[in-house]
Amino acid sequence: MASSVDLSNAVRFDLPNGTVHLSDNEKGLLVPASVLASLLKTTPPDVRGQIGRDLGAHLGRAMARRVGGAPALLDGGLELAASTLAAELALAGLGTCALERWGRALVVQITGSPIEETDFVASVVEGALAAATGRSLACTALSDAGGVRILVASESGALRVRGWIEQGVSWSDALVRLQAGGGS
Amino acid sequence: MSAKERVGKLEALLARIQANASAPRGATMTAIPTVPPSAEAREALRSESSEFEAATEQEHAVVPEPEESRARLVAAGPTVEVEFEEEEVLELDERNVVSAVEVTEMAVAAAPAKEEEAPPSSRRPIAEPAESPQEAELPIATAAPLTPPPESGKQVASESLSFDDDFTGVRESAARLQSAPPPEPSIALESLREPTPPPPPDELEADLAPPPPIFSREPEPEVEVVRGDETRPPPAPFVLPRTEKPAAPKPEVTRPTTPVAASDVATLAGSVPTFEPRNFGDLLDATLSL
């Protein structure tokens, strides 16, 4: 049975000074989700993606720090990785997650996110896993039905799957075609 | 014949002689018997014309000249008069007269030809010169002078003309034949030299021996039939159509008696590879490899 994630002293409010300190003693800000959503809608996609990766990197560094570093996270089981990622997403108010394995493909399912922009959520997951593991990876949204499914793959793999989905191929067939080694 | 008739006849003869003598001619035309009549001929003539034996007047035998041979006789030259003895003088009738044409031709044949230089291309021998002056003075020599054959000129053979060698007998030299290119065989010859192969024998054809004579007493030779490959099936026998309905056929059924063992029919080699990541790192590496 996996142990619970210790989130003690994760956020510290300095009410006399009116500041919020995060786990790494970095100041934070509490804003409504709708404001962030409105901000993301008015920003270009590349900027939106960069904002999501920066937010996800903050979450990933917290994950690695909690588990004792990236190698511990990599050597740990899927449950540890899933629990740690889910704890950080919950602490940021971005919902919860689950890890799915479709053959050799890793899919992260995000549920309960106040942000509807799937590409932004995918960018947050990409940044978090990249920062937690220290690997270069890419994520792309597969679907938004029953939560947001995000494929974790290499940059070329994520690009091909994104192209197939834009052509009308279902996300499940895209995963099968990706593991079969199909080209673009 | 009476004496009066005889005298009249002689006078007519004399008148004719005088008329001939007074005729305007360049030369006196006198028949010249080149060969005296033989004894037998003279006897025959004498018997036939015995009535003229009493004639005492010597006459020159004059042969009337045909009008058409006058030119030849004029060119014959001087005449030779021969006097005969009285007893040999005969009066000749029409049968004994030889025409001047024949005499002239005979003289031409016997006379030597005029000496003339032969052309270089002529093969005809030119008459030899006369050996004696009398021979040269013969009228025959000048009656019909021989003319040499015309000199044959050189003619260039036309290329377009062709003659059949087998007909003319003239063939080209061997050198020219060797230099000439070999003639191409004509279509007919080529077809004869290169006969087309005979068509393959039909399967039904057979080399049969010649038929024996009908009334031969010898035993008939055994006929050897050579057939081709037996590729065609023999003709189907003629089957009469059936009028009655045949009975339903009953198949013979043979069922297996030995049971078939179902074990170890298929052998599974190995198992389907499954991906079981040991940790999060393995799964992350697997998904990044896609």
Side-chain angles (χ1 to χ4, degrees), chain B residues 139-159:
Chain B
I140 302 172
T142 57
L146 293 177
T147 56
E151 182 178 2
S152 59
K154 296 181 179 179
Q155 291 184 344
V156 179
S158 175
E159 295 294 338

Side-chain angles (χ1 to χ4, degrees), chain A residues 104-107 151-154, chain B residues 282-290:
Chain A
R104 299 172 63 89
L106 174 62
V107 176
L151 171 67
V152 179
S154 63
Chain B
D282 292 345
L283 178 59
L284 187 63
D285 293 338
T287 190
L288 292 178
S289 64
L290 297 176

Side-chain angles (χ1 to χ4, degrees), chain A residues 51-67:
Chain A
I51 295 172
R53 282 190 291 273
D54 291 342
L55 179 58
H58 174 74
L59 302 178
R61 286 190 294 269
M63 291 172 59
R65 195 169 46 249
R66 292 186 196 278
V67 297

Side-chain angles (χ1 to χ4, degrees), chain B residues 63-83:
Chain B
V63 177
E65 180 189 12
E67 291 295 330
E68 60 271 11
S69 62
R70 189 172 184 177
R72 296 186 181 181
L73 293 176
V74 168
T79 59
V80 178
E81 295 182 358
V82 180
E83 294 183 356

